[in-house]
């Protein structure tokens, strides 16, 4: 009688991670550091420029009446807990016909409401309470840095070289009004940051 052959057992494939030589691993790390060295240096430089701007500007970064209106809202909320302004001369002008707010305010009942949204003044209130009028620049400066970081992420998505990305990032900061708006009490840089990060999220396949 013939002997039956035993079926051969299938050997399972074993995944063995590729081992790199120490020199090769160090070269990879160095290349990654080189990829981010110029953009990181740019971000540090912009942060220092913002600090210098904050130190040189007079306290209270008010450029135009829009900024002043937003600061009035902030101070009124911090002191009275409301964004509705009282008529400061109601004894001689009870109807509020000569309210000094100009077109920035509209009368509603016995008080005056600003034509601007109060959200920016509201979220800036803690910085104003902690740092005084100098704290009004905190959110605009952070907005600029956030916009720059998002812009650099977009450039990395398209695989721009490190040096080119840094130059384009510098152009965004100093070649547009963003650096100027980082020195005023306005939400312009924050709006730009939200827009830039929305583009980055869309490029990477995320719902916005």
């Amino acid at each position: 009688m013939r002997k039956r052959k035993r079926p051969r057992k299938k050997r399972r494939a074993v995944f063995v991670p590729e081992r790199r030589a120490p020199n090769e691993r160090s070269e990879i790390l160095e290349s990654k550091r080189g990829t981010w060295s110029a953009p990181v240096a740019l971000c540090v430089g912009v942060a220092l420029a913002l600090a210098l701007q904050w130190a040189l500007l007079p306290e209270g970064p008010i450029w135009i009446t829009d900024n002043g209106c937003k600061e009035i809202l902030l101070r009124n909320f911090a002191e009275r807990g409301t964004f509705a302004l009282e008529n400061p001369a109601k004894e001689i002008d009870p109807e509020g016909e000569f309210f000094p707010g100009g077109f920035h305010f509209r009368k509603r009942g016995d008080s005056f409401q600003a034509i601007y949204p109060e959200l920016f003044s509201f979220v800036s209130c803690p910085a104003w309470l902690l740092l005084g009028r100098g704290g009004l620049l905190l959110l605009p400066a952070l907005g600029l840095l956030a916009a720059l970081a998002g812009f650099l992420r977009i450039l990395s998505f398209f695989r721009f070289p490190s040096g080119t990305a840094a130059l384009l990032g510098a152009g965004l900061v100093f070649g547009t009004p963003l650096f100027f708006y980082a020195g005023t009490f306005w939400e312009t840089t924050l709006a730009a940051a939200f827009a830039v990060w929305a583009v980055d999220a869309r490029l990477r396949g995320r719902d916005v």
Side-chain angles (χ1 to χ4, degrees):
M1 295 180 65
R2 295 180 180 179
K3 295 182 179 180
R4 294 181 179 178
K5 295 182 179 180
R6 296 180 179 178
R8 295 181 180 179
K9 295 181 179 180
K10 294 182 179 181
R11 296 182 179 179
R12 296 180 179 178
V14 179
F15 175 75
V16 180
E18 182 182 358
R19 295 181 179 179
R20 300 181 182 271
N23 293 336
E24 188 178 356
R25 281 182 291 181
S26 62
E27 289 176 2
I28 293 174
L29 291 175
E30 288 296 327
S31 64
K32 289 183 178 180
R33 290 172 185 169
T35 303
W36 289 101
S37 59
V40 169
L42 172 64
C43 292
V44 172
V46 171
L48 292 176
L50 288 170
L52 180 63
Q53 178 176 247
W54 179 82
L56 294 178
L57 284 177
E59 189 179 19
I62 303 304
W63 166 55
I64 200 169
T65 53
D66 304 66
N67 311 131
C69 177
K70 293 176 185 295
E71 185 181 359
I72 289 172
L73 291 175
L74 182 151
R75 294 174 68 101
N76 197 69
F77 178 78
E79 296 170 0
R80 301 179 60 244
T82 178
F83 290 109
L85 275 68
E86 292 183 350
N87 182 2
K90 57 185 176 182
E91 295 181 357
I92 59 175
D93 181 25
E95 299 297 327
E97 295 181 6
F98 302 97
F99 184 76
F103 70 91
H104 297 287
F105 296 91
R106 294 289 182 268
K107 185 177 182 182
R108 289 187 179 178
D110 296 332
S111 62
F112 290 82
Q113 298 282 345
I115 62 174
Y116 298 104
E118 298 94 354
L119 180 60
F120 181 64
S121 299
F122 175 74
V123 296
S124 300
C125 195
W128 181 79
L129 292 173
L130 291 173
L131 303 173
R133 296 192 76 192
L136 298 179
L137 286 180
L138 181 61
L139 288 183
L142 292 178
L144 173 60
L145 292 174
L148 174 60
F151 183 67
L152 293 175
R153 272 181 60 88
I154 292 175
L155 296 180
S156 69
F157 177 83
F158 290 106
R159 301 184 182 279
F160 275 78
S162 174
T164 304
L167 288 175
L168 292 174
L172 174 73
V173 174
F174 301 108
T176 70
L178 282 179
F179 189 78
F180 168 79
Y181 281 117
T184 62
F185 186 55
W186 222 331
E187 63 267 42
T188 308
T189 59
L190 293 172
F194 277 111
V196 169
W197 280 94
V199 172
D200 177 74
R202 193 58 182 164
L203 287 173
R204 297 175 192 275
R206 299 170 187 168
D207 293 332
V208 179

